[in-house]
Amino acid sequence: MEDFFAKLLADFPDGFVVLGVLLGGLALGLALKSLLFAGLRAYDRREGSELARSVMLHLRTTSTLFFPVLAWSLLLPLLPLSPKPFEVLRRVVEFMLILSFAWGLIKTLDVVQDVIQRYYQVEAGDNLRARKLFTQLQFIKKVAVGLIGFVAVGLVLMSFETVRRLGTGLLTSAGIASVIVGFAAQRSISNLLAGFQIAFTQPIRLDDVLVVEGEWGRVEEITFTYVVLNIWDERRLVLPLNYFIEKPFQNWTRSSAQLTGTVFLHADYTVPVEALRAELRRLLEAHPLWDERVCVLQVTDSKERTLELRCLVSAANASALFDLRCFVREHLVDYLQAHYPESLPRTRALVQEDGTGKNIVVGIQ
């Protein structure tokens, strides 16, 4: 930039005027930016506006570039330059204006996301509506960023005559090229279409709890081409978008985060089922993770040596349910050990005297 200004001063008698106009545009742009953000700060202090804070956070750097470039574009007619250098300077300012405006639009999407997040909290307990919205918002935002970048670069390139001529020539073979590209990018295009389908039909959403390929995890990220699951042990499972369109999987939070889980116990035939049922009720009523929907204890099977007892319990979400099941399993076993140790699973041996005064085992039950 310094070399450019030096050349202007050397080549043109009105170089000081050019430099003055450029510096004046820079000062004007920065002044406009300062006034705007001063007004936003004053409004935020008076009203406590989340929108004003988000604008100041995301658009401060962008506006530092955009407003001076906008001022330069308005002051360009005042420059006493010959046509050729004027055209060069005009092109540079035009490119900077297009790119800074595109950058501002992209950062504006972050402002919109902040405003939406203020009203919809994904971290809340009942966050189904928020997760639906943010799944769509995330995908739409990525598509919008891609389109803005593509259009901005296209506008810059199409301002060159050579590029325009090349584009006109390419259009004549667009039919053949589209077929070739279609075959080459078939997988990528199908993934993109799958992304649109997932964003709007929503078989999965952000923060959904899934069981995929035998792994339990939460949906951490949905991109144009793949989905990232945060597995319970902090591993990451990455799957293509098409997987969730073509293959079956379990979604534990599709319509609600509430779940019912089982705890199995095996006990002797002498186990007091009613006492154990009452103890289950007492344990759940005293535990904060139980959501008071399901509390059932049943004998679901009678095996050769033991009874199978199934406890049904419910909780607000999968994590709470896992902890609650572990709690019930541990304390019911403790209860049996403390109050009915004879009801724990055991192996019985039949002993019979053999006629010589010795006892021998004749059978095991």
Side-chain angles (χ1 to χ4, degrees), residues 27 42 56 65 91 120-121 126 132 153 209 220 228 240 250 279 296 324-325 335 353:
M56 289 188 289
L65 174 64
R91 286 287 180 87
Y120 299 93
Q121 297 295 325
D126 185 11
K132 286 182 178 180
V153 173
V209 175
E220 183 177 63
V228 179
Q250 295 183 41
E279 178 64 11
V296 176
L324 184 62
R325 290 169 62 202
Y335 178 77
E353 188 176 345

Side-chain angles (χ1 to χ4, degrees), residues 176-190:
I176 298 176
S178 63
V179 173
I180 296 174
V181 171
F183 279 111
Q186 183 178 5
R187 196 70 177 176
S188 299
I189 293 173
S190 65

Side-chain angles (χ1 to χ4, degrees), residues 28-48:
L28 177 61
L30 293 178
L32 288 174
K33 179 253 183 181
S34 298
L35 288 174
L36 175 61
F37 278 80
L40 289 173
R41 284 194 297 270
Y43 180 75
D44 180 38
R45 285 194 297 268
R46 186 176 69 252
E47 303 291 339

Side-chain angles (χ1 to χ4, degrees), residues 212-241:
V212 184
E213 300 290 321
E215 300 282 3
W216 184 98
R218 292 183 179 274
V219 178
E220 183 177 63
E221 184 180 4
I222 301 176
T223 71
F224 284 126
T225 56
Y226 60 85
V227 175
V228 179
L229 290 186
N230 185 356
I231 307 302
W232 66 272
D233 57 1
E234 299 187 2
R235 290 177 293 132
R236 298 298 189 273
L237 180 63
V238 181
L239 296 163
L241 287 176

Side-chain angles (χ1 to χ4, degrees), residues 207-341:
D207 205 42
D208 264 349
V209 175
L210 307 182
V211 177
V212 184
E213 300 290 321
E215 300 282 3
W216 184 98
R218 292 183 179 274
V219 178
E220 183 177 63
E221 184 180 4
I222 301 176
T223 71
F224 284 126
T225 56
Y226 60 85
V227 175
V228 179
L229 290 186
N230 185 356
I231 307 302
W232 66 272
D233 57 1
E234 299 187 2
R235 290 177 293 132
R236 298 298 189 273
L237 180 63
V238 181
L239 296 163
L241 287 176
N242 280 336
Y243 182 96
F244 298 95
I245 303 299
E246 300 171 355
K247 296 185 179 181
F249 59 94
Q250 295 183 41
N251 188 335
W252 289 11
T253 53
R254 178 68 179 88
S255 57
S256 173
Q258 294 177 332
L259 288 171
T260 299
T262 58
V263 175
F264 286 99
L265 297 175
H266 292 89
D268 191 73
Y269 272 74
T270 61
V271 64
V273 177
E274 284 300 329
L276 207 58
R277 187 176 287 127
E279 178 64 11
L280 173 64
R281 168 67 65 174
R282 186 191 69 81
L283 290 173
L284 292 179
E285 289 178 347
H287 202 286
L289 293 181
W290 185 49
D291 63 0
E292 303 182 5
R293 290 189 302 115
V294 179
C295 173
V296 176
L297 188 148
Q298 296 171 313
V299 179
T300 54
D301 199 359
S302 56
K303 301 182 183 298
E304 181 181 358
R305 299 176 184 176
T306 60
L307 292 178
E308 181 186 79
L309 307 176
R310 185 186 69 176
C311 306
L312 292 180
V313 297
S314 60
N317 55 62
S319 298
L321 180 64
F322 181 82
D323 293 338
L324 184 62
R325 290 169 62 202
C326 293
F327 171 83
V328 168
R329 187 180 297 111
E330 293 170 6
H331 285 74
L332 286 183
V333 171
D334 287 345
Y335 178 77
L336 286 176
Q337 290 174 340
H339 297 87
Y340 303 97

